[in-house]
Amino acid sequence: MAYTLHRGDALTVLSGLGSDSVDAVITDPPYNSGGRTSGERTGRTARAKYTSADAAHDLSNFPGENRDQRSYGYWLTLLLTESYRATVESGAALVFTDWRQLPTTTDALQAAGWTWRGIASWHKPVSRPQKGRLKQSCEFIVWGTKGPVDPDRHPVYLPGLYTASQPRKGRVHITQKPVEVMQELVRICPEGGTVLDPFTGSGSTGVAALREGRHFVGVELSDHYADLAERRLQRELTRDDFELAGPEE
Amino acid sequence: MAYTLHRGDALTVLSGLGSDSVDAVITDPPYNSGGRTSGERTGRTARAKYTSADAAHDLSNFPGENRDQRSYGYWLTLLLTESYRATVESGAALVFTDWRQLPTTTDALQAAGWTWRGIASWHKPVSRPQKGRLKQSCEFIVWGTKGPVDPDRHPVYLPGLYTASQPRKGRVHITQKPVEVMQELVRICPEGGTVLDPFTGSGSTGVAALREGRHFVGVELSDHYADLAERRLQRELTRDDFELAGPEE
DNA sequence: CCTCAGTTTGAATCTAAGA
DNA sequence: CTCTTAGATTCAAACTGAG
């Protein structure tokens, strides 16, 4: 298995990728959510929006959270359009989103040419309860394919609900996804194929891909997170070479 | 506890309901999904769409499944607008939907004046796996309130994920919801308050409301299902009188 | 290696005060 | 007025560390 990590803006890097060069796009774009007013959504940092006021941790901020609603949809469409071009026929796209951006995400996916196939839920057992409300304990995975599903070429059965808490020990990103969830999801890509994640962050998608025998192509804008991802991906390869066992963080 | 069951078209009956007369609207409208083309969606009956050809059960068909996409959204907006009028300030609406109609449902809810508050998931563990795909094992509950949430008047904490299989034994409606899920959801209505369900079907929402100490107002167009619902609701009241314990179906 | 008690915190959400 | 910042809320999972 091998990986490539591009440093730079997702749209710019994607437009340089070859057509039909990846088998699946699995990514967690900035949600651009978190606030009732436009000012609250666009004028605050991700850290200010998404970390509890009483949290003691000191995780780094991440960029891309300052678009208004209209331009968020437009930008996501452009991004998914370039991803579509880079993906082979009958390849899949899996896009994380929260409840607020779910309709925008399904619109963008379809506008970009993908055939929308469904919505899966990621349930986080540890989430803040709210008086007088239903808890927001799920994030969502909007998914689609480039053209028809080809079940014979890649006969995999995946769940529609994933339950896992965010990593706590060794967590390095505010919105870091659990590797065990990503390991299930990367199986939508055929073994030996290539997974693309235009928003690599700390690299959980890549780690999962390598562990499951898929190649990985990532893009990350922030140097801080690109360094982190590089380290985690490198360690994964080394571990692979020496056939070490045992769980990572 | 008491219930009222209106027989007739939901929109017509709702427009006759008094303003601010109910505390929560909890309903499962016809999804109008289940086909990729407009022809597939509108040309087949609900029974043909939602049951396998070899299913042994003999569930009655239900109407309201023949709208095209645009008019489905329009109709749902009208319905939620009338429901909004009938609901007290800070009352809640909980609307079931499948993945295909989710964006239309959040649009309709907001167009009708409700403040959209979130999306909860209902997970059905027993659902058909699909080769090359993520399983569609979740339906969704889009919810909102009429104006601000009033957590002090009604301090309840509800989950964001509900897990239960569709009733199999004793199931009388194609899309019948598990009573245990509905019993959790009706708690969004203050105790002693009134729950409205414009698509009563076999009456699971009403049964749950009565069991949890809420009044119930239902509307059902089909005589077949209205009779069934009437019987189940009546039995619930009788059981209540004699204080019988133990599970139903 | 287990149990048990104690601690921490969440892609939240809202109010009130300050600038 | 608007925009920003600080503070309060609260359940349960997941982790810590002692015995």
Side-chain angles (χ1 to χ4, degrees):
Chain A
M1 293 304 106
Y3 73 87
T4 316
L5 183 58
H6 300 276
R7 291 170 184 244
D9 168 70
L11 260 181
T12 314
V13 174
L14 283 187
S15 65
L17 285 187
S19 295
D20 309 325
S21 60
V22 306
D23 299 278
V25 181
I26 304 179
T27 195
D28 182 33
Y31 295 169
N32 218 96
S33 228
R36 285 161 303 172
T37 65
S38 165
E40 278 182 323
R41 276 191 299 272
T42 61
R44 295 188 300 162
T45 62
R47 205 180 125 73
K49 286 193 283 189
Y50 302 133
T51 53
S52 301
D54 52 0
H57 65 69
D58 188 27
L59 298 176
S60 187
N61 192 29
F62 61 89
E65 282 275 338
N66 306 295
R67 294 175 178 89
D68 73 19
Q69 187 59 36
R70 217 190 115 261
S71 93
Y72 179 77
Y74 179 65
W75 166 81
L76 192 57
T77 303
L78 290 182
L79 197 110
L80 291 171
T81 302
E82 281 303 318
S83 303
Y84 184 85
R85 189 188 51 76
T87 305
V88 298
E89 183 76 11
S90 92
L94 276 59
V95 185
F96 279 84
T97 182
D98 75 346
W99 65 274
R100 272 180 266 242
Q101 298 295 11
L102 205 156
T104 302
T105 305
T106 61
D107 283 348
L109 187 85
Q110 293 180 94
W114 299 89
T115 306
W116 181 26
R117 297 288 177 185
I119 304 174
S121 299
W122 168 35
H123 176 239
K124 297 174 287 183
V126 181
S127 42
R128 180 154 289 202
Q130 307 272 336
K131 201 196 273 189
R133 296 161 186 256
L134 281 73
K135 207 154 56 150
Q136 306 295 6
S137 52
C138 290
E139 288 185 33
F140 302 96
I141 302 154
V142 170
W143 81 282
T145 56
K146 180 166 180 173
V149 175
D150 190 347
D152 298 320
R153 192 178 65 103
H154 183 42
V156 68
Y157 292 87
L158 290 176
L161 175 73
Y162 302 80
T163 300
S165 290
Q166 251 204 350
R168 296 186 70 171
K169 246 175 50 177
R171 179 160 148 240
V172 289
H173 194 285
I174 299 178
T175 70
Q176 190 168 332
K177 300 290 172 282
V179 174
E180 62 265 33
V181 169
M182 303 315 296
Q183 279 187 255
E184 294 223 64
L185 292 176
V186 293
R187 295 175 50 226
I188 198 69
C189 165
E191 215 157 332
T194 301
V195 172
L196 167 66
D197 181 357
F199 303 97
T200 296
S202 55
S204 301
T205 306
V207 169
L210 296 179
R211 281 193 196 170
E212 294 291 318
R214 276 81 176 163
H215 301 284
F216 178 70
V217 176
V219 186
E220 176 56 45
L221 178 58
S222 136
D223 270 327
H224 173 77
Y225 285 118
D227 290 345
L228 268 169
E230 188 86 54
R231 227 170 301 153
R232 287 180 77 202
L233 291 164
Q234 196 55 56
R235 185 167 43 171
E236 210 50 48
L237 284 189
T238 319
R239 181 206 308 264
D240 210 42
D241 289 346
F242 291 101
E243 286 178 318
L244 292 176
E248 198 201 11
E249 59 271 39
Chain B
M1 293 305 105
Y3 73 87
T4 315
L5 183 59
H6 300 277
R7 289 170 186 247
D9 168 69
L11 260 181
T12 314
V13 173
L14 283 187
S15 64
L17 284 187
S19 294
D20 308 325
S21 60
V22 306
D23 299 278
V25 182
I26 304 179
T27 195
D28 182 33
Y31 296 166
N32 215 88
S33 288
R36 283 161 310 162
T37 66
S38 166
E40 276 184 305
R41 274 193 302 273
T42 61
R44 296 187 297 161
T45 63
R47 174 123 209 261
K49 283 191 282 190
Y50 299 127
T51 60
S52 310
D54 55 354
H57 47 203
D58 183 27
L59 302 175
S60 192
N61 188 27
F62 65 96
E65 280 273 342
N66 303 295
R67 295 176 178 87
D68 75 17
Q69 188 58 38
R70 217 190 114 260
S71 93
Y72 178 79
Y74 180 63
W75 166 82
L76 192 57
T77 303
L78 290 181
L79 197 112
L80 290 172
T81 302
E82 281 304 318
S83 303
Y84 184 85
R85 190 188 51 75
T87 305
V88 298
E89 182 76 13
S90 91
L94 276 59
V95 185
F96 279 84
T97 182
D98 73 347
W99 64 274
R100 271 179 246 253
Q101 298 296 8
L102 205 155
T104 303
T105 305
T106 61
D107 283 347
L109 186 85
Q110 294 180 93
W114 299 89
T115 305
W116 180 27
R117 297 288 179 184
I119 303 174
S121 298
W122 167 35
H123 178 239
K124 298 173 284 185
V126 183
S127 44
R128 199 166 63 94
Q130 309 203 9
K131 202 196 270 189
R133 296 164 188 253
L134 281 73
K135 207 159 51 154
Q136 304 296 1
S137 52
C138 289
E139 288 185 31
F140 303 96
I141 302 154
V142 170
W143 80 283
T145 57
K146 180 167 178 173
V149 175
D150 189 347
D152 298 320
R153 189 178 69 101
H154 183 41
V156 68
Y157 292 86
L158 290 176
L161 175 73
Y162 301 81
T163 301
S165 292
Q166 266 199 347
R168 302 188 70 166
K169 249 176 44 180
R171 180 158 145 235
V172 289
H173 194 284
I174 300 175
T175 68
Q176 190 169 332
K177 299 289 173 283
V179 175
E180 63 265 34
V181 168
M182 303 315 295
Q183 279 187 256
E184 293 222 67
L185 292 176
V186 294
R187 295 174 53 222
I188 198 68
C189 165
E191 216 158 331
T194 301
V195 172
L196 167 66
D197 182 358
F199 302 98
T200 296
S202 54
S204 300
T205 306
V207 169
L210 296 179
R211 281 192 195 171
E212 295 290 318
R214 276 80 175 165
H215 300 286
F216 178 69
V217 176
V219 186
E220 176 57 43
L221 178 58
S222 137
D223 270 328
H224 173 78
Y225 286 119
D227 290 345
L228 266 170
E230 189 87 53
R231 227 170 300 151
R232 287 180 77 201
L233 291 164
Q234 196 56 55
R235 182 168 46 168
E236 211 50 46
L237 284 188
T238 319
R239 182 209 305 264
D240 210 42
D241 288 347
F242 292 101
E243 286 178 319
L244 293 176
E248 198 202 12
E249 72 273 48

